Amino acid sequence: MNRGRAPARPASAPAPVSSPAPVSSPAPDPTADQATKDAMSNATTVSPAHSASTASTLITNIAALVTNDPSLGDGSPLGLVRDAAVVIDGDRIAWTGESSKAPATDNRVDAGGRAVLPGFVDSHSHLVFAGDRTEEFNARMSGRPYSAGGIRTTVAATRAASDAELEANLTRYLTEALRQGTTTFETKSGYGLTVADEARALRIAAAHTDEVTYLGAHIVPPDHADDPAAYVALVTGEMLDACAPYARWIDVFCEKGAFDGDQARAILTAGKAKGLHPRIHANQLSYGPGVQLAVELDAASADHCTHLTDADVDALASGRTVATLLPGAEFSTRAEWPDARRLLDAGVTVALSTDCNPGSSFTSSVPFCIALAVRDMGMTPDEAVWSATAGGAAALRRTDIGRLTPGAYADLVLLDAPSHVHLAYRPGVPLVTGVWRRGIRVV
């Protein structure tokens, strides 16, 4: 996000993501006034089919509305509107503005002086896996450094799991993320590393989102340790053929201990030839060629971006590639924090994501990552919220999510707080009290 001006908008993606399994709405906040409780209760009893197809809903009495449209409200990149209202019609936003100017609708929800913002866009996660790495985390917190090798533990557990077990695990974490305000997510393969296991991971993921990423190039598995070139050939050949029908993206872990620049270029180029668009794990553990390669290939996102040269920053500032920062990984590995301030001041578009995975960032909480980014990466609260919503959308090259303006999907979050700043101001507090996804209240 460029300071003082609105970031460029990316191109729209073709198809909306499919909804994760809805969760039951909790009881209204006991601290809310009775009118607000009644309105919230009524909102959850509307038939989902009716809500999605024929009914319009006004959410009014919003203390602060984040639209991410700088032509609205205060003119900032957040497009912050005070004393605001939003109209949902079907699965889209139909109107936003001041409460006093709101049109009539079929249903009405009183936000009770709370803040509303777009649903979080988690543009980097690894959710198709089995097992966990508790022992590894415990050892690391006791002094052992993180390396890419721990991935092999999850590979073994994932290969041994049934399809049902993998899908149950996936939906568990999707529901967990939804309760914390995530309405769009990307997820990857990468814990199978055989043709059959990578293809089934993507098939399972594709039942829950269109933002599916083929990451056969996560690491070189033990059975190819003596011949990495043969594994690259597999990833760019038979495995790619089996996986491409389920994926939109292709990714590679370009890092010491994983894949070097030449291997990464070959893998991403092969994916592009099959119609998959590149994204890349870049410059997480050390300086390397990943960021430059990402810009060269017009990757949608270069993810991690912890160790950057001035040339890397300049390349990101001059291209369309988003720098996706993943503070959960630094928190969980006690690694050096990415310098978000350096990127923002250079005019780079920045996204924030969870990197939810069982090894290096086992969190599904975007609010937690927002707090970390503000506290330890030099971001302001406004910048962090933009990066976790519109920034994530940019990292997926979407304009129909990450903002609350007419025509965008009605994905929005109601906080039990008067301002979005409370996401960083009150870290660790479960502030999300309502979530609408595609116009239906799901939390």
Side-chain angles (χ1 to χ4, degrees):
M1 179 173 59
N2 302 322
R3 298 181 73 190
R5 62 186 178 88
R9 296 189 184 278
S12 294
V17 295
S18 58
S19 299
V23 297
S24 299
S25 296
D29 179 3
T31 63
D33 60 41
Q34 190 60 47
T36 301
K37 292 179 185 177
D38 292 343
M40 289 183 176
S41 177
N42 290 339
T44 65
T45 60
V46 176
S47 162
H50 181 65
S51 297
S53 59
T54 61
S56 59
T57 298
L58 170 68
I59 305 176
T60 189
N61 194 16
I62 300 169
L65 172 67
V66 173
T67 68
N68 286 336
D69 184 341
S71 70
L72 299 176
D74 63 0
S76 71
L78 289 187
L80 194 66
V81 182
R82 305 285 184 183
D83 189 18
V86 173
V87 173
I88 299 169
D89 189 4
D91 62 359
R92 303 279 177 159
I93 298 296
W95 182 90
T96 58
E98 297 176 6
S99 285
S100 61
K101 300 176 182 178
T105 58
D106 299 310
N107 304 302
R108 181 185 177 95
V109 174
D110 188 336
R114 295 172 172 85
V116 169
L117 63 156
F120 301 124
V121 180
D122 194 346
S123 60
H124 182 129
S125 72
H126 304 251
L127 298 180
V128 186
F129 67 89
D132 68 24
R133 279 146 65 185
T134 304
E135 292 183 4
E136 175 190 323
F137 177 80
N138 190 37
R140 188 164 63 241
M141 293 301 102
S142 302
R144 190 175 78 195
Y146 172 69
S147 69
I151 294 168
R152 293 179 178 87
T153 302
T154 302
V155 169
T158 302
R159 288 179 176 179
S162 68
D163 288 11
E165 288 169 334
L166 292 178
E167 183 151 30
N169 209 43
L170 170 66
T171 55
R172 170 189 174 189
Y173 294 117
L174 294 184
T175 299
E176 185 178 277
L178 186 66
R179 290 183 182 276
Q180 298 173 91
T182 297
T183 53
T184 301
F185 71 97
E186 176 271 0
T187 200
K188 310 174 191 296
S189 65
Y191 291 127
L193 309 186
T194 67
V195 173
D197 285 309
E198 286 295 290
R200 73 164 177 156
L202 295 173
R203 173 175 49 79
I204 290 168
H208 297 271
T209 180
D210 288 344
E211 303 297 350
V212 177
T213 300
Y214 166 47
L215 183 59
H218 203 178
I219 59 165
V220 177
D223 44 332
H224 284 81
D226 296 332
D227 194 357
Y231 186 67
V232 172
L234 181 67
V235 167
T236 57
E238 182 184 357
M239 187 183 290
L240 174 60
D241 291 340
C243 291
Y246 301 108
R248 182 182 177 207
W249 307 98
I250 185 168
D251 198 345
V252 59
F253 190 9
C254 184
E255 189 60 69
K256 292 177 181 177
F259 298 89
D260 64 24
D262 291 340
Q263 292 169 327
R265 178 181 284 103
I267 291 163
L268 295 178
T269 301
K272 288 185 74 172
K274 282 285 187 180
L276 304 183
H277 202 85
R279 42 199 330 110
I280 188 169
H281 286 60
N283 302 54
Q284 177 188 5
L285 306 178
S286 61
Y287 293 97
V291 164
Q292 297 281 346
L293 179 62
V295 176
E296 173 192 329
L297 297 180
D298 188 36
S301 182
D303 297 16
H304 289 289
C305 294
T306 306
H307 301 277
L308 301 178
T309 64
D310 288 345
D312 292 332
V313 175
D314 290 343
L316 287 166
S318 65
R320 293 201 303 161
T321 300
V322 173
T324 298
L325 307 184
L326 308 165
E330 280 70 40
F331 176 86
S332 297
T333 61
R334 289 181 175 161
E336 178 182 341
W337 296 100
D339 189 348
R341 183 80 271 131
R342 179 187 182 194
L343 290 164
L344 291 164
D345 288 348
V348 176
T349 301
V350 172
L352 279 179
S353 185
T354 64
D355 191 19
C356 186
N357 75 83
S360 60
S361 183
F362 206 3
T363 180
S364 58
S365 175
V366 173
F368 174 64
C369 292
I370 288 172
L372 290 179
V374 172
R375 170 62 178 80
D376 292 303
M377 288 165 43
M379 301 184 86
T380 68
D382 284 11
E383 289 167 338
V385 167
W386 189 94
S387 294
T389 52
L396 296 174
R397 295 205 167 156
R398 301 278 297 271
T399 59
D400 54 355
I401 55 175
R403 61 192 180 96
L404 296 178
T405 53
Y409 279 113
D411 296 348
L412 51 91
V413 172
L414 175 68
L415 299 181
D416 191 14
S419 168
H420 63 281
V421 176
H422 281 235
L423 290 165
Y425 180 42
R426 303 194 67 208
V429 177
L431 294 177
V432 174
T433 192
V435 179
W436 283 256
R437 193 170 189 282
R438 301 299 190 262
I440 300 171
R441 186 166 185 178
V442 290
V443 174

